[in-house]
């Protein structure tokens, strides 16, 4: 299982690769796009975060693709906005050929209409979580259109992942493993992310609340704890316990989320994933893996509560 890493800081590419980063993904900003469609038009899911999430221009991404190839790694470029008009799709197609020439491995797309053109350009096509691969039928349609990989939504269970993989062979499967969880489904969320302005998920996570509960004091305390749980999940979501199962399933890539996160944190996540993948490959059972797995000290305190788990069914049934 490869480790997929965000290119949030180009200066860290070499360190990420040496730590065990096998694949990279990146978004970009492009003034030509905004000149044509305006500032409100998203190029990718994180466009409205501006340089906080997409610090590089398209020309810089072309050179990053060359740099990643020199590291003998693979780069995927995101085109995963909520939706695109026909004119926007035509504009997107112009990026694909240049990315392939620069050595990018593939693109991450959010709409079926983009798949054929990307594949015809010689790029691998990854179906974003925006495509909502919640069942085998959706995965089958995307495979038949030309996708080479699908990203399984973060709220799909391990059993569901395995069922989809068995029913639809001939695809690579990518799963979320570390950082930045969200209680909302990407494909059904029409919220916008703006730098300096709140998205709905930000409000849910950070708004100040007062709780007035009749009954035992413990009930009010439980309400406050539940309110705080989402903040923990959003900032430090973790799926390390599932590494053993994902290895046995044949999952292709484990994703570290965090295009706007601190690079040192990303680096530690890469090292943690690689260490646990090696442990998993040496274990004959999930029980053995859970007894031997490495949990970073900063995550250990929260693990017993299960409040930041991508796949709580491993430890909590």
């Amino acid at each position: 299982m490869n480790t997929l890493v965000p290119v949030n800081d180009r200066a860290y590419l070499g360190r990420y690769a040496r730590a065990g980063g096998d694949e990279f993904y990146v978004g970009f900003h492009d003034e030509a796009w905004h000149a044509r469609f305006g500032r409100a038009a998203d190029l990718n899911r994180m466009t409205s975060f501006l340089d906080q999430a997409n610090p590089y221009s398209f020309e810089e991404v072309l050179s990053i693709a060359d740099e990643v190839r020199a590291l003998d790694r693979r780069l995927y470029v995101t085109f995963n906005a909520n939706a695109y008009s026909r004119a926007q799709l035509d504009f997107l197609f112009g990026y694909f050929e240049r990315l392939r020439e620069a050595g990018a491995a593939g693109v991450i797309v959010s709409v079926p209409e983009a798949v054929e053109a990307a594949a015809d350009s010689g790029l691998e096509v990854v179906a974003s979580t925006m495509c909502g691969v919640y069942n085998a039928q959706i995965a089958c349609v995307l495979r038949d259109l030309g996708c080479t990989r699908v990203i399984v939504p973060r709220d799909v269970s391990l059993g569901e992942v395995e069922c989809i993989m068995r029913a639809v062979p001939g695809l690579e499967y990518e799963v979320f493993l570390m950082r930045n969880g969200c209680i909302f489904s990407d494909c059904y969320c029409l919220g916008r992310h703006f730098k300096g302005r709140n998205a709905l998920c930000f409000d849910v996570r950070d708004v100040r609340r007062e709780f007035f509960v009749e009954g035992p004091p413990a009930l009010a305390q439980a309400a406050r704890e539940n309110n705080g749980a989402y903040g923990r999940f959003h900032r430090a979501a973790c799926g390390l316990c599932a590494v053993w199962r994902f290895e046995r399933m044949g999952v292709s890539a484990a994703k570290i989320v965090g295009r706007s996160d601190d690079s040192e944190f990303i680096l530690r996540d890469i090292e943690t994933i690689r260490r646990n993948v090696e442990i998993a490959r040496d274990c004959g059972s999930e029980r053995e893996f859970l007894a031997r797995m490495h949990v970073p000290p900063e995550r250990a305190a929260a693990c017993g509560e299960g409040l930041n788990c991508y796949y709580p069914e491993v430890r909590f049934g």
Side-chain angles (χ1 to χ4, degrees):
M1 183 168 64
N2 289 341
T3 305
L4 179 68
V5 184
V7 182
N8 58 333
D9 186 342
R10 185 176 185 175
Y12 272 74
L13 277 175
R15 294 180 65 184
Y16 286 167
R18 289 190 293 273
D22 303 293
E23 304 174 353
F24 296 93
Y25 67 97
V26 66
F28 65 89
H29 63 266
D30 186 23
E31 286 304 315
W33 172 269
H34 293 304
R36 175 69 176 81
F37 301 111
R39 291 288 167 184
D42 281 351
L43 182 54
N44 59 62
R45 182 73 168 141
M46 304 291 280
T47 295
S48 299
F49 271 126
L50 307 177
D51 58 356
Q52 182 178 333
N54 295 305
Y56 302 107
S57 68
F58 183 60
E59 296 300 324
E60 288 173 313
V61 164
L62 294 176
S63 61
I64 288 172
D66 188 58
E67 187 175 347
V68 169
R69 183 173 57 177
L71 291 168
D72 197 26
R73 300 297 194 271
R74 308 172 68 76
L75 180 71
Y76 297 89
V77 182
T78 60
F79 297 91
N80 60 345
N82 284 351
Y84 296 103
S85 67
R86 171 51 59 187
Q88 289 171 339
L89 281 169
D90 291 341
F91 202 94
L92 287 186
F93 300 157
Y95 292 120
F96 297 157
E97 189 71 31
R98 296 187 66 193
L99 285 169
R100 179 56 183 156
E101 291 172 356
V107 291
I108 302 169
V109 302
S110 56
V111 294
E113 295 86 352
V115 174
E116 185 177 0
D120 287 346
S121 298
L123 293 164
E124 298 175 24
V125 187
V126 181
S128 163
T129 50
M130 301 299 291
C131 293
V133 183
Y134 281 102
N135 57 53
Q137 288 83 359
I138 298 171
C140 188
V141 167
L142 291 166
R143 180 195 62 187
D144 293 346
L145 283 173
C147 286
T148 54
R149 175 186 293 185
V150 298
I151 306 174
V152 182
R154 53 168 55 85
D155 53 326
V156 171
S157 71
L158 290 172
E160 291 167 335
V161 174
E162 187 168 17
C163 285
I164 293 171
M165 291 181 66
R166 286 180 175 176
V168 190
L171 273 175
E172 293 184 349
Y173 289 86
E174 177 184 315
V175 296
F176 287 88
L177 203 69
M178 302 296 280
R179 311 193 72 75
N180 295 15
C182 186
I183 61 172
F184 299 109
S185 169
D186 289 300
C187 71
Y188 296 121
C189 177
L190 299 179
R192 297 287 301 280
H193 302 92
F194 286 96
K195 184 178 182 180
R197 292 160 58 190
N198 294 351
L200 175 62
C201 51
F202 185 96
D203 287 334
V204 170
R205 187 172 78 244
D206 293 327
V207 70
R208 183 175 180 273
R209 296 179 177 85
E210 295 290 340
F211 294 94
F212 301 94
V213 180
E214 292 187 11
L219 190 59
Q221 178 63 24
R224 284 189 288 270
E225 290 175 352
N226 186 67
N227 179 57
Y230 177 53
R232 190 179 302 176
F233 179 63
H234 195 99
R235 295 184 180 90
C238 176
L240 289 174
C241 289
V243 165
W244 190 86
R245 290 199 203 179
F246 284 143
E247 274 289 298
R248 295 307 182 277
M249 289 181 201
V251 166
S252 297
K255 183 172 188 174
I256 298 174
V257 189
R259 277 193 269 166
S260 59
D261 285 5
D262 184 274
S263 300
E264 287 295 328
F265 292 153
I266 299 293
L267 188 64
R268 288 200 291 273
D269 282 349
I270 297 169
E271 294 168 343
T272 299
I273 291 173
R274 295 319 308 167
R275 182 172 176 181
N276 280 299
V277 167
E278 291 171 3
I279 292 171
R281 290 172 177 171
D282 190 49
C283 290
S285 69
E286 183 174 69
R287 177 177 293 184
E288 180 186 358
F289 170 71
L290 294 176
R292 292 175 52 188
M293 69 177 288
H294 169 66
V295 180
E298 65 270 20
R299 292 181 177 272
C303 277
E305 299 172 346
L307 297 179
N308 62 332
C309 293
Y310 270 130
Y311 310 102
E313 62 265 38
V314 177
R315 288 190 180 272
F316 301 99

